[in-house]
Amino acid sequence: MYDLVIRSDRVLTAQGVGAGSVPRSVPGFVPAAVAITGGVIRAIEPVDATLETVRDVTLPAGQVLQPGVVDTHVHVNEPGRTDWEGFASATLAAAAGGVTTIIDMPLNSIPPTTTVAALELKRQAAAPQSSVNVGFWGGAIPGNLGSLEPLHDAGVFGFKAFLSPSGVDEFPHLSPAELLAAGSEIAGFGGLLVVHAEDPAVLDGSQNAGGTGYLDFVASRPDAAEDAAIARVIDVVRRTGVRAHILHLSSALVLPRLAAARAEGLPISVETCPHYLSFAAETIADGATAFKCCPPIRGAGNRDLLWQGLEDGVIDFIASDHSPATRELKLGHGGDFGLAWGGISGLQLSLPAVWTAARERGLGLDRVLHWMTAATARFIGLPAGAIEVGAAADLVAFAPDDTFTVNVDTLRHKNRVSAFDGASLFGRVHTTWLAGDVIYAFDDSGASPQTPAGALVRAR
């Protein structure tokens, strides 16, 4: 007797169907019945199999059953800046977007996650409020170098460092010498270094007067800033052997450099984000500070090359970099890009946004889901992002052909600001299950969030 059986004509499974089935070389959509007990997938059977179960759910035509998205780049900002976001609102937004696991960045909370004590504060805040599974990154700043291993032992997934000012005083950036020291220290205990890679000298030399011009803002953070910073990270990887990851790549100029480093065998990976894959600088209006992020959204040709980087495997996966702030911080400066907070609120919309852009390029949903589920889960070493026997039943009923227009007032994150407001997107999340329990359900009357049921996850 199973607790739950979910049937669909399209299930993205990493295994064949039926008893004794073996893993597929490439996951694909098949008709199947997924049987769940105790929050774990126990069997994958033919869609019309007779199975004894407490609950038997058949998805309507047009809905696929897929793994929950694993988003490895989310700024929750609690404690300390909970007016920007918080675990309750962020994880509701995640569940509504088909995201079942998030990994929280060490800033912009106060205190940042740079000590074990600060990590415990975050865990205490997250545990009773979270609708999805939550893990944590630690931070590497000048003041905690030499004492990173206790955070690693406490279960953070790695250490974020900035190479240029972060925008908040409590999380200062690392100098070149400090980056080398951090790389050596993290390599010593087998950890992971994740980097916001913009070079401060290039940024200083590119400063302008700010103002409302979007292209002026892009010019203030040129491709060269990413290129110089990533070259420095590659050098540190080569010298120390540390595993390193480049966060939120916006510049396609750097792809050949990254490809060469990978060909050399260096342990370096890279992500990009939905906003870089969806928008283009040429179409962003002056004064539209909802689109401000660092590094910036660049031109359409650059966007096309980022997609090519994903297809070629130079870019490993896609994460949201959900970085919200209050409406006043984002929109309250008269459209001045020099004064507005830099960050895109996109957690709830990351899956439909990427899917919309991908289908315009003739890419299949299976490719999109690989970049947002299996690849992200593998990156952080969690047994998630797959529909297979023995996996947690973190699942999503997704209608890839449904369309909707984004209304920022209906989004679940705390402050109703998003660059995606008004966008027409394909793909609607209808149901999200966490360990076999419904945590989100959508109907024509709107979104129906369920009781928080998320768990705190640690690096293995």
Side-chain angles (χ1 to χ4, degrees):
M1 176 70 72
Y2 297 109
D3 296 336
L4 171 66
V5 171
I6 307 173
R7 304 173 191 267
S8 173
D9 288 334
R10 295 182 67 198
V11 176
L12 184 67
T13 176
Q15 288 182 301
V17 175
S21 63
V22 296
R24 296 162 167 263
S25 57
V26 178
F29 286 103
V30 295
V34 178
I36 299 157
T37 295
V40 175
I41 297 170
R42 305 296 182 180
I44 301 173
E45 299 293 341
V47 67
D48 57 355
T50 300
L51 300 168
E52 293 189 55
T53 179
V54 176
R55 292 173 294 155
D56 200 316
V57 175
T58 298
L59 300 189
Q63 292 185 25
V64 305
L65 187 66
Q66 63 169 70
V69 171
V70 178
D71 192 335
T72 57
H73 193 153
V74 178
H75 294 265
V76 177
N77 305 330
E78 185 175 3
R81 289 192 174 95
T82 313
D83 57 331
W84 294 18
E85 190 64 283
F87 286 103
S89 52
T91 60
L92 279 176
V99 179
T100 52
T101 299
I102 65 170
I103 311 298
D104 171 61
M105 280 292 168
L107 72 165
N108 300 298
S109 57
I110 301 173
T113 317
T114 54
T115 65
V116 173
L119 173 63
E120 291 308 314
L121 285 175
K122 281 206 174 185
R123 286 177 170 156
Q124 290 168 20
Q129 301 186 75
S130 296
S131 299
V132 304
N133 297 330
V134 179
F136 301 92
W137 294 106
I141 61 174
N144 72 346
L145 297 185
S147 56
L148 299 178
E149 191 166 7
L151 263 176
H152 171 78
D153 293 343
V156 299
F157 285 85
F159 296 88
K160 181 174 186 177
F162 275 75
L163 303 192
S164 57
S166 70
V168 293
D169 292 340
E170 66 275 4
F171 203 97
H173 66 286
L174 300 181
S175 69
E178 289 164 340
L179 177 67
L180 182 61
S184 180
E185 181 181 356
I186 294 167
F189 53 75
L192 173 65
L193 174 66
V194 302
V195 184
H196 180 125
E198 290 182 284
D199 183 86
V202 175
L203 295 180
D204 287 347
S206 306
Q207 288 186 50
N208 57 38
T212 61
Y214 181 73
L215 295 181
D216 292 335
F217 168 63
V218 175
S220 74
R221 305 189 86 97
D223 298 82
E226 288 187 81
D227 188 43
I230 289 171
R232 180 172 299 124
V233 174
I234 291 170
D235 179 64
V236 167
V237 172
R238 188 180 288 118
R239 294 170 66 178
T240 67
V242 70
R243 290 186 299 128
H245 178 73
I246 303 300
L247 298 164
H248 48 52
L249 183 75
S250 93
S251 173
L253 174 72
V254 190
L255 291 173
R257 185 185 296 281
L258 287 164
R262 301 276 281 272
E264 187 182 334
L266 297 179
I268 189 165
S269 56
V270 61
E271 71 187 45
T272 193
C273 303
H275 38 281
Y276 299 133
L277 299 169
S278 299
F279 302 122
E282 298 91 337
T283 63
I284 296 174
D286 290 348
T289 52
F291 291 85
K292 180 181 176 180
C293 56
C294 301
I297 298 163
R298 304 188 190 276
N302 180 86
R303 178 187 60 192
D304 293 342
L305 290 172
L306 291 177
W307 276 106
Q308 191 62 53
L310 279 163
E311 293 189 66
D312 293 342
V314 181
I315 299 173
D316 295 272
F317 59 80
I318 302 166
S320 71
D321 190 12
H322 178 69
S323 186
T326 64
R327 286 183 61 87
E328 178 63 24
L329 286 171
K330 277 301 284 183
L331 306 179
H333 299 284
D336 190 326
F337 282 93
L339 299 176
W341 177 259
I344 302 289
S345 296
L347 176 59
Q348 184 173 336
L349 300 169
S350 59
L351 175 58
V354 175
W355 166 231
T356 298
R359 65 183 286 155
E360 291 175 356
R361 289 163 172 75
L363 298 172
L365 181 59
D366 55 342
R367 300 289 301 277
V368 168
L369 292 175
H370 170 77
W371 291 321
M372 301 184 76
T373 64
T376 47
R378 183 170 61 243
F379 167 63
I380 53 174
L382 284 182
I387 297 178
E388 58 188 2
V389 174
D394 300 341
L395 304 168
V396 175
F398 183 67
D401 296 324
D402 283 8
T403 60
F404 68 100
T405 299
V406 177
N407 178 351
V408 73
D409 291 328
T410 67
L411 299 180
R412 291 283 166 174
H413 64 260
K414 181 168 289 186
N415 288 281
R416 303 300 191 241
V417 181
S418 177
F420 291 97
D421 189 27
S424 295
L425 299 180
F426 280 91
R428 185 184 292 282
V429 172
H430 280 267
T431 311
T432 305
W433 291 267
L434 189 73
D437 291 328
V438 173
I439 58 169
Y440 171 83
F442 176 85
D443 60 33
D444 290 339
S445 64
S448 175
Q450 308 297 314
T451 303
L456 302 186
V457 294
R458 299 175 181 237
R460 294 174 170 230

